[in-house]
Amino acid sequence: MSTGESVLGEADLSLIHALQIAPRASWTQLSAALGASPDTLARRWEHLTAGGYAWSSLLAARSGTDAMLYAWVELECVAGAAETTATEVSGDPCTLGVHQVTGDADLVLLVVCPDLYALDAYLAGRVRRLPGVLRARTQVVTRLHNRPYRSRIEQLTPGQVQLLTEITGGDRRARTRVGTPPNLTELDHRLVAELAGDARRSAAELARQCGTSESTVRRRLDALTAGGVLHHHCLPAPRFSGRPVWAMVTTDVPPLEVPTTVAALGRLRQTRLVTSVTGPHNLAVALWLRTVDELHDVTAALVRAAPALRIAGTALSLRTHKIGAQVLGPDGRRTHHVRPDTPGRGMV
């Protein structure tokens, strides 16, 4: 199958867009905005998730008041070892992205850790000891300007978006920060671990799994979401989304021009993640493109949108092995998720 082919129809993309706005809305609530019966929507979502074409995930953005530390890690591998190494690191809870790429590096990882000490321990004790790894170069993210891998499908009409938001409240609670973010309890970590693979698991099911009441589950999820500790995301598998090509663009921007540049880049549809980083170049931008050819047009668009920006380098993904907690197979479909199994390792 061509990596540029989308097998997701308009109805599929509309459902995914709706779940991006209201991740835990009932099928009845979604039905009012999408114009399909609740049973039809439930069957469609079951087909998408069972086939690995889409997923809904809840991940932890921080551990209480402490934000997480992100880093881009480039790995050079022994000849023929890139795929094996990618499979190995995809199983680590702290990797949010694993991409097999063109250019000087063989793999690019997006890693999240509680702090610099944990990042050093992961790189020294885990990554650099893998037999297939020759070198690892790390750029610490000094500022995360938007959320990783947050898709912009924009399939629904403005009227549908407004109706769905009115019915469900949409993601207003996620945008409204209430006081100091609460610290994660043992129950919270268990809830995140259960919801990392399927954010639509019911409160009743979570209560049974975690040995508590439904009201406690709802109360904790509401408190964590309102406190900015949790983040829901719903994504199509890239190969089938119409934008299958991941690209990394490294750039140089004068420090005083970074805010206006970031704002301009964020308005481009292809932009997925903008990060300020340490190292020889101060801004790293991750993109999802329709085709390889589009990289030329997008880099030109980046410079037009932000005249202060200078392109320093580009890389294209030959294969994406992992997005967030989700592991993708050789055919681009989701195969399974990796549970966030330690309190110190959150994800966005």
Side-chain angles (χ1 to χ4, degrees):
M1 178 180 294
S2 169
T3 58
E5 181 181 352
S6 173
V7 300
L8 301 183
E10 290 187 6
D12 299 321
L13 295 174
S14 293
L15 177 55
I16 294 169
H17 188 187
L19 290 174
Q20 290 176 343
I21 297 170
R24 290 181 62 81
S26 70
W27 297 123
T28 300
Q29 290 174 317
L30 294 168
S31 173
L34 297 178
S37 72
D39 287 345
T40 296
L41 295 177
R43 286 195 301 270
R44 181 172 294 141
W45 184 243
E46 173 63 23
H47 167 73
L48 292 175
T49 55
Y53 298 111
W55 57 83
S56 180
S57 181
L58 183 151
L59 303 171
R62 56 174 63 234
S63 180
T65 57
D66 297 325
M68 308 302 290
L69 178 76
Y70 295 83
W72 292 107
V73 180
E74 297 181 349
L75 301 183
E76 291 183 35
C77 300
V78 175
E83 186 167 343
T84 300
T85 303
T87 300
E88 185 75 17
V89 296
S90 291
D92 296 341
C94 61
T95 54
L96 290 183
V98 179
H99 303 277
Q100 199 167 333
V101 297
T102 61
D104 295 334
D106 295 295
L107 300 175
V108 172
L109 318 179
L110 178 61
V111 173
V112 60
C113 289
D115 50 40
L116 285 168
Y117 301 103
L119 176 62
D120 177 65
Y122 174 66
L123 295 175
R126 167 66 167 159
V127 174
R128 293 193 178 98
R129 293 188 179 184
L130 292 173
V133 173
L134 292 173
R135 295 178 192 82
R137 293 184 294 273
T138 303
Q139 298 178 87
V140 173
V141 173
T142 57
R143 181 160 296 181
L144 192 71
H145 296 288
N146 57 351
R147 293 183 185 273
Y149 305 114
R150 186 167 187 172
S151 183
R152 302 180 201 168
I153 290 181
E154 299 175 1
Q155 184 72 19
L156 301 180
T157 66
Q160 287 176 301
V161 172
Q162 181 178 352
L163 176 59
L164 184 60
T165 303
E166 290 172 355
I167 293 171
T168 66
D171 59 358
R172 287 172 185 166
R173 286 182 301 176
R175 295 176 181 177
T176 303
R177 300 295 177 249
V178 180
T180 302
N183 289 315
L184 271 68
T185 66
E186 181 180 351
L187 173 60
D188 298 334
H189 287 293
R190 293 183 66 186
L191 290 173
V192 171
E194 295 297 330
L195 292 168
D198 179 6
R200 292 188 57 78
R201 296 183 67 181
S202 69
E205 184 180 358
L206 292 170
R208 289 193 298 271
Q209 192 72 28
C210 297
T212 187
S213 67
E214 291 184 46
S215 60
T216 297
V217 168
R218 292 193 182 96
R219 186 171 61 251
R220 289 310 302 164
L221 292 179
D222 285 346
L224 295 174
T225 301
V229 176
L230 302 180
H231 168 59
H232 289 91
H233 73 167
C234 181
L235 295 172
R239 180 173 292 189
F240 310 103
S241 69
R243 292 186 178 275
V245 181
W246 185 88
M248 168 71 79
V249 178
T250 52
T251 70
D252 293 309
V253 180
L256 294 180
E257 299 291 337
V258 168
T260 55
T261 298
V262 167
L265 298 183
R267 289 191 289 268
L268 295 177
R269 185 177 178 85
Q270 297 90 343
T271 303
R272 288 299 178 265
L273 180 59
V274 182
T275 57
S276 290
V277 294
T278 59
H281 312 293
N282 64 342
L283 211 63
V285 183
L287 311 162
W288 283 105
L289 310 175
R290 294 187 182 279
T291 64
V292 171
D293 295 345
E294 192 181 9
L295 180 61
H296 173 79
D297 297 331
V298 170
T299 52
L302 293 177
V303 176
R304 282 196 301 270
L309 177 147
R310 297 292 179 270
I311 304 293
T314 60
L316 285 170
S317 179
L318 301 170
R319 177 182 164 189
T320 294
H321 293 260
K322 188 180 185 186
I323 299 176
Q326 316 304 320
V327 178
L328 308 181
D331 62 358
R333 297 191 294 172
R334 173 192 182 273
T335 60
H336 64 282
H337 78 283
V338 177
R339 292 169 63 94
D341 58 1
T342 63
R345 287 174 176 171
M347 299 181 185
V348 172

